[in-house]
Every structure is written in structure tokens, then in C-alpha cells.
């Protein structure tokens, strides 16, 4: 099945907002086209996961991540970064899939996924 992966890396307001919104918009139509959507947060953006009381852009980012998960979208992040930041249990309990980033990027390649980075 064709897949679009939204890779949210940058933690500026526009990248956090646009990356998650694009994922939501693609998810609205992907099933009708025999396609799927996946989101992978890494780097600076991953450190913004869990920021529910921060700036509006971070609150919106986290709300959209939760909405994507609730809609059945696989949302992943790097397990090594999560461990280093002490948030592995928190992210897992929210429904994020934690894996080694290196392995995920190779998987995207092997699956022939289209990866769009914000």
C-alpha cells in the first residue's frame, strides 16, 4: 500500500503547525485512495512532544498529534531520544510508537514511502 510519511523535525512554529496539519489533511483522503499516512517526530520537534502547557504552537502540535493517534495514524518518535529525555513512558502511554530512528528511516525507504519533512 502506498504511504506518505510526514517527518516533523524542526520545532519552529510553522513546521510544528504545518507538518501536523498536512498529516491530518492527507489522512482525510488517503484511505479512499488505497494509501496510508504515518508521522515520525524526531530531533527538535520530538522534544516538543508533551509540551501541553507551553506556547500555543506547542499545545496545538501536541493536540494534533493526539488527534492523529486517535484517528488511527501511526505516530512515531525515536526511542533513544525519548529515553535520553526521560519521556519514554509518557510518549508510549500517549500512543506513540517508539523505535530507533535509523531503522525507521530505512524502513521508509524499503517500503517506497514518500517522506515529506517539516
Amino acid at each position: 500500500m502506498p504511504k506518505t510519511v510526514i517527518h516533523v523535525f524542526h520545532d519552529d512554529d510553522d513546521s510544528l503547525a504545518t507538518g501536523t496539519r498536512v498529516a491530518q489533511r492527507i489522512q482525510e483522503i488517503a484511505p479512499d485512495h488505497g494509501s496510508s499516512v504515518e508521522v515520525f517526530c524526531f530531533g527538535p520537534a520530538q522534544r516538543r512532544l508533551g509540551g501541553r502547557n507551553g506556547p500555543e504552537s506547542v499545545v496545538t502540535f501536541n493536540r494534533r498529534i493526539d488527534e492523529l493517534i486517535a484517528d488511527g495514524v501511526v505516530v512515531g518518535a525515536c526511542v533513544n531520544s525519548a529515553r535520553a529525555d526521560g519521556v519514554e513512558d509518557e510518549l508510549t502511554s500517549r500512543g506513540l510508537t517508539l523505535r530507533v530512528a535509523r531503522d525507521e528511516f530505512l524502513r521508509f525507504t524499503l517500503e517506497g514511502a514518500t517522506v515529506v519533512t517539516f
Side-chain angles (χ1 to χ4, degrees), residues 24 27-28 66-73:
Q24 288 178 319
Q27 175 62 13
E28 291 173 0
D66 291 339
E67 291 169 354
L68 285 160
I69 293 168
D71 199 29
V73 173

Side-chain angles (χ1 to χ4, degrees), residues 19-64:
T20 51
R21 185 64 183 139
V22 166
Q24 288 178 319
R25 296 287 290 152
I26 294 172
Q27 175 62 13
E28 291 173 0
I29 62 168
D32 295 336
H33 295 275
S35 185
S36 65
V37 178
E38 188 169 332
V39 175
F40 191 73
C41 302
F42 186 57
Q46 181 170 336
R47 288 185 208 99
R48 299 297 188 166
L49 291 168
R52 297 174 186 278
N53 298 318
E56 183 178 340
S57 61
V58 174
V59 171
T60 300
F61 171 66
N62 279 282
R63 179 178 45 79
R64 287 182 178 162

Side-chain angles (χ1 to χ4, degrees), residues 3-6 23 27 36-41 65 68-77 95-99 104 107-108:
K3 179 186 294 183
T4 301
V5 176
I6 302 299
Q27 175 62 13
S36 65
V37 178
E38 188 169 332
V39 175
F40 191 73
C41 302
I65 290 293
L68 285 160
I69 293 168
D71 199 29
V73 173
V74 174
V75 177
L96 278 90
T97 302
L98 300 180
R99 295 194 178 123
E104 289 300 88
R107 178 174 65 84
F108 301 150

